[in-house]
């Protein structure tokens, strides 16, 4: 049937609601709020990339990117100072959005505002100036985020997730020794985590935020039940198959184990891995968690298996650190039964099973997983196996222009992965300018981090540079050599190698 150029308007849905007298009344809801409010978020939901059409609150996303400074100004003003001033200006403009979020009626606009806040805080709140600007607007940002987390204004799960990520990133920028932040966020975040009716991604984001706040901002001066130990215990409970009478989503369980590992790095090795039996006084928290981790390694969820393997690697590393040095051990028997070994302990059999399972996952194959997932799992569990089975320390190097970070333990790698997940695209700029992160990871600066001009970028960083050409030639030579070795049986004299 022809439409005659006119379309019917969708009727608003009616939602029942109790008034002050307890009588049930109906209320109109729009599709924007009524549908999005109860939707389930995808497993790979993120706050960094926006799919919202109108999300900039008057600030164009392209305008938020730090553009190259005018060449004429470069001749008069130092480039780094000009860039810092540009970032500070962008940050101040973006933080003004927080004052309008609570009064905005459209859910997509509010969600877009949080996305802009997250991007500005992670990428533009750099150095002492960026911290001061965020500190001056912190009360407004906190009020807006708590407004959304409390469900006011018919906030959607996407908004609540984004609000948690904004608070998490803000804690990294505001820095250490901020018990006031931990005290203000303890209650609201724990309420979300304990709410079994909330979307799993929202509860996971709240748990990550709570762990990061205590990792960065918290100190040992908080009261019992409000400190990092209480959050560690909460992570143990949430990582179980059921919590508060409800089955826990694998996404939330994996997040709980990641948060447990992060907070576990803040405690001593003895707190995590001391003891040989359940009867020991001050038994390590990690040893109590081992049976659950063994079960998680048999899960069908890949992220849960990875998180469990990372926790086992941390516990095993702490256990080894408790042992005596080789020179202190009189003989082989004493070395085998030193404190750092699992031999003779109550968990010896369980750890043997865990080692065997991790070895299986490092070479697992089959059609039930995609090629990409199999490659990622093998690579990850090979790293776990080198520590748990071969007692080798991991190694990872993070380079950026002007410095590097070298990591040689699972404690450091766990911190790095958690902070990297939090900051996403702003990780490197924060690592270069954030004194708290530099102290945590022991960042080393080589003094060669001067900005490159356009000509130098083409010479050293482009795909047609001499360095890129040399790397391409070397790779071609390696491939040719491998091919010749495989086909060596076809030649008689072997001169092709």
């Amino acid at each position: 049937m022809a439409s005659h150029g006119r379309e019917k308007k969708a009727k608003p849905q009616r939602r029942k609601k109790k008034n002050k007298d307890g009588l049930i009344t109906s209320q109109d809801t729009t599709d924007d709020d009524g549908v999005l409010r109860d939707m389930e978020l995808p497993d790979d939901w993120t706050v960094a990339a926006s799919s919202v059409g109108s999300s900039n609150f008057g600030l164009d996303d392209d305008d938020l990117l730090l553009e190259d400074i005018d060449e004429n100004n470069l001749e008069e003003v130092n480039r780094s100072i000009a860039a810092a001033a540009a970032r500070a200006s962008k940050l101040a403009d973006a933080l003004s959005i927080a004052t309008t979020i609570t009064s905005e009626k459209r859910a997509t606009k509010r969600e877009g505002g949080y996305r802009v806040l997250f991007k500005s805080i992670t990428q533009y709140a750099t150095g002492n100036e960026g911290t001061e600007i965020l500190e001056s607007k912190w009360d407004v940002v906190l009020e807006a985020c708590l407004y959304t987390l409390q469900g006011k204004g018919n906030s959607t799960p996407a908004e609540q997730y984004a609000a948690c990520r904004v608070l998490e990133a803000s804690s990294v920028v505001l820095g250490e020794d901020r018990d006031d932040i931990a005290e203000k966020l303890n209650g609201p975040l724990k309420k979300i985590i304990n709410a079994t009716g909330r979307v799993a991604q929202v509860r996971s984001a709240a748990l990550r935020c709570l762990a990061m706040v205590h990792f960065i901002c918290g100190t040992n001066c908080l009261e019992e039940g409000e400190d990092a130990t209480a959050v560690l215990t909460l992570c143990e409970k949430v990582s179980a198959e059921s919590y508060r009478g409800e089955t826990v989503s694998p996404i939330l369980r994996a997040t709980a184990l990641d948060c447990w590992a992060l907070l576990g790095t803040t405690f001593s090795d003895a707190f995590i891995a001391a003891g040989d039996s359940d009867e020991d006084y001050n038994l390590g928290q990690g040893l109590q968690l081992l049976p659950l981790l063994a079960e998680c390694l048999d899960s069908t969820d890949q992220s849960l298996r990875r998180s469990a393997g990372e926790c086992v690697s941390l516990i095993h590393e702490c256990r080894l650190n408790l042992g005596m040095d080789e020179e202190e051990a009189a003989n082989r028997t004493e070395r085998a039964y030193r404190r750092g070994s699992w031999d003779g302990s109550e968990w010896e059999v369980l750890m043997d099973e865990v080692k065997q399972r991790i070895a299986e996952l490092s070479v697992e194959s089959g059609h039930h997983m995609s090629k990409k997932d199999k490659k990622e799992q093998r690579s990850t569990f090979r790293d776990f196996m080198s520590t748990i089975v071969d007692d080798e320390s991991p190694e990872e190097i993070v380079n950026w222009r002007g410095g590097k970070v070298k990591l040689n333990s699972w404690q450091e790698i766990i911190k790095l992965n958690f902070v990297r997940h939090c900051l996403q695209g702003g990780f490197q700029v924060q690592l270069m300018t954030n004194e708290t992160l530099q102290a945590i990871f022991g960042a080393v600066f080589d003094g060669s981090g001067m900005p490159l001009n356009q000509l130098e970028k083409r010479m050293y960083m482009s795909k047609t540079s001499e360095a890129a050409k040399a790397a391409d030639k070397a790779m071609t030579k390696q491939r040719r050599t491998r091919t010749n070795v495989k086909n060596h049986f076809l030649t008689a004299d072997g001169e092709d190698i």
Side-chain angles (χ1 to χ4, degrees), residues 221-238:
C221 300
L222 291 170
E223 297 181 359
E224 184 177 356
E226 300 294 328
D227 54 1
T229 306
V231 180
L232 194 75
T233 304
L234 177 62
C235 293
E236 295 173 357
K237 295 178 180 179
V238 176

Side-chain angles (χ1 to χ4, degrees), residues 9 30 43 76 97 104 153 195 207-208 233 295 328 367 462:
K9 293 183 179 180
T30 62
D43 293 347
E76 302 175 359
I97 295 175
E104 176 59 48
L207 186 55
R208 275 188 168 272
T233 304
E295 296 177 3
E328 299 178 5
H367 297 289
S462 70

Side-chain angles (χ1 to χ4, degrees), residues 323-334:
M324 63 183 71
D325 297 333
E326 294 285 336
E327 299 178 355
E328 299 178 5
N331 51 50
R332 182 177 180 181
T333 302
E334 187 176 350

Side-chain angles (χ1 to χ4, degrees), residues 471-484:
D472 183 68
K473 290 181 180 179
M475 183 61 67
T476 302
K477 184 176 180 181
Q478 292 178 6
R479 291 170 181 164
R480 185 183 298 114
T481 301
R482 286 197 298 266
T483 302
N484 292 339

Side-chain angles (χ1 to χ4, degrees), residues 65-91 123-124 126 129 450-451:
L65 297 176
L66 184 60
E67 301 291 345
D68 290 336
I69 303 171
D70 186 15
E71 295 293 336
N72 296 328
N73 293 335
L74 287 177
E75 299 176 357
E76 302 175 359
V77 184
N78 182 276
R79 187 181 182 89
S80 60
I81 297 178
R87 288 195 296 268
S89 176
K90 299 293 184 183
L91 176 62
Q123 299 185 17
Y124 303 132
T126 58
E129 185 177 3
M450 298 302 295

Side-chain angles (χ1 to χ4, degrees), residues 144-163:
C145 292
L146 293 181
Y147 175 87
T148 297
L149 293 179
Q150 292 170 1
K152 297 180 180 179
N154 291 326
S155 60
T156 65
E159 293 177 63
Q160 297 168 10
Y161 175 88

Side-chain angles (χ1 to χ4, degrees), residues 86-301:
R87 288 195 296 268
S89 176
K90 299 293 184 183
L91 176 62
D93 292 341
L95 289 179
S96 62
I97 295 175
T99 60
T100 63
I101 289 181
T102 56
S103 59
E104 176 59 48
K105 301 299 182 182
R106 287 171 291 180
T108 53
K109 274 282 190 178
R110 295 194 299 265
E111 180 191 344
Y114 283 120
R115 290 180 183 273
V116 173
L117 283 175
F118 176 82
K119 183 175 182 178
S120 63
I121 291 172
T122 55
Q123 299 185 17
Y124 303 132
T126 58
N128 295 330
E129 185 177 3
T131 303
E132 293 175 359
I133 296 175
L134 179 59
E135 179 68 33
S136 64
K137 298 289 185 178
W138 169 240
D139 291 337
V140 179
V141 174
L142 179 62
E143 180 183 358
C145 292
L146 293 181
Y147 175 87
T148 297
L149 293 179
Q150 292 170 1
K152 297 180 180 179
N154 291 326
S155 60
T156 65
E159 293 177 63
Q160 297 168 10
Y161 175 88
C164 290
R165 296 300 305 276
V166 169
L167 292 175
E168 182 184 1
S170 298
S171 66
V172 177
V173 176
L174 293 176
E176 57 187 353
D177 296 335
R178 293 298 303 270
D179 282 341
D180 58 311
I181 298 178
E183 291 173 349
K184 290 180 180 179
L185 294 179
N186 260 333
L189 293 177
K190 287 182 179 179
K191 187 175 181 179
I192 295 176
I193 298 167
N194 292 330
T196 56
R198 296 277 186 128
V199 177
Q201 287 84 348
V202 176
R203 298 173 68 190
S204 299
L207 186 55
R208 275 188 168 272
C209 180
L210 184 62
M212 181 64 79
V213 166
H214 281 273
F215 175 69
I216 296 290
C217 304
T219 65
N220 296 327
C221 300
L222 291 170
E223 297 181 359
E224 184 177 356
E226 300 294 328
D227 54 1
T229 306
V231 180
L232 194 75
T233 304
L234 177 62
C235 293
E236 295 173 357
K237 295 178 180 179
V238 176
S239 62
E241 292 185 5
S242 62
Y243 177 62
R244 297 175 67 89
E246 298 287 342
T247 302
V248 184
S249 168
I251 297 175
L252 182 56
R253 297 183 66 189
T255 300
L257 292 181
D258 290 340
C259 295
W260 187 94
L262 175 71
L263 294 177
T265 62
T266 63
F267 294 94
S268 64
D269 296 328
F271 182 87
I272 299 297
D276 289 330
S277 67
D278 287 332
E279 299 178 355
D280 290 345
Y281 180 70
N282 288 336
L283 183 66
Q285 292 287 106
L287 303 186
Q288 303 176 39
L289 197 64
L290 277 178
L292 175 63
L293 297 177
E295 296 177 3
C296 293
L297 289 173
D298 294 327
S299 172
T300 57
D301 187 80

